[in-house]
Amino acid sequence: MNAIEKILTMLGTPEGRTDPYPLYAALHEIGPVIEVGPDDVIVVGYDAINSVLRDPGFRVSDQSVFEKDFPSWRANPVFVQAADWLLNLNAPRHARVRSLIARAFTARRVAGLEPAIAKMADELLDAMADRGADGSAVEFMHDFAYLLPVTVICELIGIPGADREGFRPIARDLAGVFELRDLETLPTINAAAVELLAYFTGLAARRRADPRDDLLSDLLAVSDSDDGRLADAELLHNLTLLLVAGFETTTNLLGNGLQIILQDPPAGQAVRDGSVPASAFVEEVLRFDSPVQLTSRVGYDTNLAGVAIGPGTGLTTLLAAGNRDPRRFTDPARFDPMRADGGPLSFGGGAHFCIGAALARLEGAVAFPRLLSRFPNISAAGQPKRRDTLLLRGFDELPVTVV
Ligand code: HEM
C-alpha cells in the first residue's frame, strides 16, 4: 500500500474520522491535488479548492449523474426531490432557481430573525439550567445544538409552532441522504422525503390562500410572478433542502464550537468578556473544525495544479483540509479567533456558496455569548461521542455540567 492509499484507508476508519486532521496534514505534504484512482482526485490545497468551486466548468452531480450511477433513482422520492435541489443543479437552471430563492431568502429576512433566535436560545438555556441545577449532566447536543437550528429554520420558513415537534426527527432522517453509505437506510430517508413533501404541499396551499410574513409566502409570491417562474415542484423540493442543509450543519457548528471551549476554557472566557467578538469566534470554529468537511464536483478537460483532469474525473474537494492548508494559514492547527488570515472554505465558494451562511453565522454569534454568560462554569461531564461520519462532522453527545 502506498502512502496515499494508507491515508485514505485511515480516513475510512472510525479512528481516522474521529481526528482526520493529522491525515489532512499528511495529504498537504503530498500536494494540493492528488490522484487517487484512474478517474478520481482529491483536492486539498486551499487555492485549488477555491478555483474548483469558482470555475463553472466543474459541475455538480446533477440528474444526468444520478441516471448514470443509479438508474433506478426515479423510484426513490428522495432522489426525485434531490434532482431539483440547488446543490444538484448546474447552469443555466441553477442560476434561475437560485436567484428566485435568493429573492425571498434576503439579508433583511435573516437579520430580522435575530430577536427570535435569541428568544429560542434563552428558552433552551432555561430548560438546560433546570435540568442541570443539581449538578447532574446535561446533554448539549440533544438539549440545545440539535433543537436551535431546526427551530430557527421552521421560524424562517413559517412552520407553525404546533407542527415543529414532529419535524425534527423527520428532518434528521432526511439528512441521512448526505451520508448514504449503503442502501439500507434508503427506505427511512424516502419515507421522510414523502412526509415532508406532503406537509409542505399542505402548508403552501394554506399560505397561498392566506400569505404571512414568512419565507414560504415570499417564495410563493416569487413562483406566482411572471418573470422567471419557479415551478411548484422546484419550490417545494428546495424547501426540503433548506431544512436538511441548514439543520445538522449548524447543529455541528454549535457542538464543535462548544467542544473547543470545553477543552480550552480561556477561549470561552474571551467570548464571554467580549475580548473576542462572537463572530470572530464562529469564523475560527468554522475553519478549525468544519461542520461540512467536503463536497464534490465532476471534471472537464483541464489541468489543476499540474494534474490532468478529464470530463469523467470525480473531484472530492476536502474543504476542511483546505482550512488547514499550511500554505494559506499560519500555524493552521492553532485555534486563534483573532488570526489575520481568516477565510475558511466551510461554506464553499462560487455559484453554490451556501445560501444560509449569514443565518448560520448569526445563530452562532447569538448562541455562544448567551450560552457562556448563562453558564460561566460550563464543563465537560464525561466523554463526548463523535458521530461516525466524514462529510458532516460533529457530535452525537456532548455531556456538560452547567453549575
Ligand atoms: C454552519 C452551517 C453550514 C455550513 C457549514 C454549510 C455549508 C455549505 C456548503 C459547503 C455548501 C456548498 C456545497 C457545494 O458547493 O457543493 C452549502 C450550500 C447550501 N447551503 Fe449551507 N451550510 C450551513 C448552513 C446552512 C443553512 C442554515 C442553510 C439554510 C437555512 C443552508 C442552505 C444551503 C443551501 C440551500 C445550499 C445550496 C446552495 C446552492 O447549491 O446554490 N446552509 N452549505
Side-chain angles (χ1 to χ4, degrees):
M1 220 190 270
N2 67 28
I4 299 171
E5 284 163 353
K6 266 193 209 145
I7 297 169
L8 295 183
T9 307
M10 277 297 289
L11 272 177
T13 64
E15 299 75 48
R17 284 195 286 265
T18 300
D19 184 10
Y21 295 110
L23 301 170
Y24 295 163
L27 290 173
H28 282 303
E29 284 179 19
I30 297 169
V33 181
I34 305 169
E35 291 179 88
V36 294
D39 268 327
D40 271 316
V41 301
I42 52 176
V43 190
V44 297
Y46 185 98
D47 291 340
I49 295 173
N50 228 344
S51 48
V52 169
L53 296 178
R54 285 163 197 278
D55 176 349
F58 293 103
R59 296 166 69 80
V60 296
S61 294
D62 60 15
Q63 209 166 309
S64 65
V65 177
F66 293 13
E67 204 73 64
K68 191 160 63 70
D69 293 350
F70 192 34
S72 64
W73 68 275
R74 281 180 202 277
N76 290 280
V78 65
F79 291 121
V80 173
Q81 293 183 26
D84 278 343
W85 286 354
L86 281 177
L87 278 177
N88 302 325
L89 297 182
N90 285 302
R93 199 174 156 212
H94 176 263
R96 173 179 59 83
V97 177
R98 170 124 182 172
S99 77
L100 292 169
I101 291 178
R103 240 194 262 171
F105 199 150
T106 58
R108 188 191 59 83
R109 180 162 295 292
V110 170
L113 284 171
E114 182 164 354
I117 297 172
K119 185 166 165 279
M120 291 178 231
D122 287 344
E123 283 167 11
L124 295 173
L125 295 175
D126 285 346
M128 277 176 73
D130 284 350
R131 235 165 266 152
D134 61 356
S136 53
V138 184
E139 217 294 288
F140 178 75
M141 297 312 292
H142 182 266
D143 289 348
F144 190 89
Y146 173 57
L147 296 179
L148 184 68
V150 70
T151 317
V152 170
I153 297 169
C154 288
E155 179 78 20
L156 168 79
I157 296 178
I159 294 162
D163 298 350
R164 291 179 189 176
E165 196 68 33
F167 248 81
R168 298 168 185 148
I170 312 174
R172 188 165 205 175
D173 283 350
L174 188 60
V177 71
F178 293 128
E179 295 281 354
L180 199 59
R181 266 182 262 160
D182 54 56
L183 295 182
E184 247 170 58
T185 49
L186 203 48
T188 313
I189 299 172
N190 278 327
V194 170
E195 198 170 338
L196 277 175
L197 187 62
Y199 176 80
F200 282 137
T201 306
L203 188 64
R206 282 189 274 156
R207 290 290 182 275
R208 207 164 234 147
D210 180 17
R212 305 262 172 94
D213 180 17
D214 57 30
L215 181 77
L216 178 52
S217 302
D218 286 0
L219 281 172
L220 288 164
V222 167
S223 91
D224 292 342
S225 69
D226 283 335
D227 50 335
R229 261 181 101 85
L230 188 61
D232 273 1
E234 285 171 338
L235 187 163
L236 295 170
H237 294 166
N238 278 290
L239 279 184
T240 64
L241 170 63
L242 288 184
L243 201 62
V244 292
F247 166 30
E248 268 187 57
T249 48
T250 315
T251 296
N252 292 342
L253 165 65
L254 298 172
N256 295 356
L258 181 60
Q259 171 68 354
I260 290 166
I261 290 167
L262 295 174
Q263 291 182 321
D264 177 12
Q269 179 53 34
V271 175
R272 189 180 296 118
D273 67 23
S275 54
V276 163
S279 55
F281 173 79
V282 167
E283 224 45 28
E284 181 67 344
V285 173
L286 287 164
R287 184 195 71 83
F288 189 79
D289 202 11
S290 181
V292 176
Q293 295 270 299
L294 59 93
T295 183
S296 57
R297 292 292 186 268
V298 182
Y300 70 107
D301 273 325
T302 186
N303 183 296
L304 193 63
V307 175
I309 308 284
T313 309
L315 298 98
T316 302
T317 44
L318 271 175
L319 307 172
N323 286 346
R324 300 277 192 118
D325 185 345
R327 291 176 203 84
R328 170 66 174 73
F329 296 100
T330 311
D331 204 355
R334 193 163 58 91
F335 183 81
D336 176 9
M338 300 310 273
R339 62 169 61 244
D341 57 0
L345 294 166
S346 311
F347 291 120
H352 291 273
F353 181 80
C354 177
I355 211 168
L359 179 59
R361 286 177 164 134
L362 179 64
E363 286 181 57
V366 169
F368 281 113
R370 295 185 114 75
L371 170 75
L372 293 166
S373 323
R374 183 70 184 266
F375 304 132
N377 298 322
I378 192 164
S379 315
Q383 274 302 316
K385 198 169 136 214
R386 277 234 171 246
R387 299 198 62 197
D388 183 24
T389 48
L390 185 59
L391 195 153
L392 296 180
R393 178 168 168 79
F395 291 93
D396 260 333
E397 290 168 18
L398 202 50
V400 291
T401 51
V402 295
V403 287

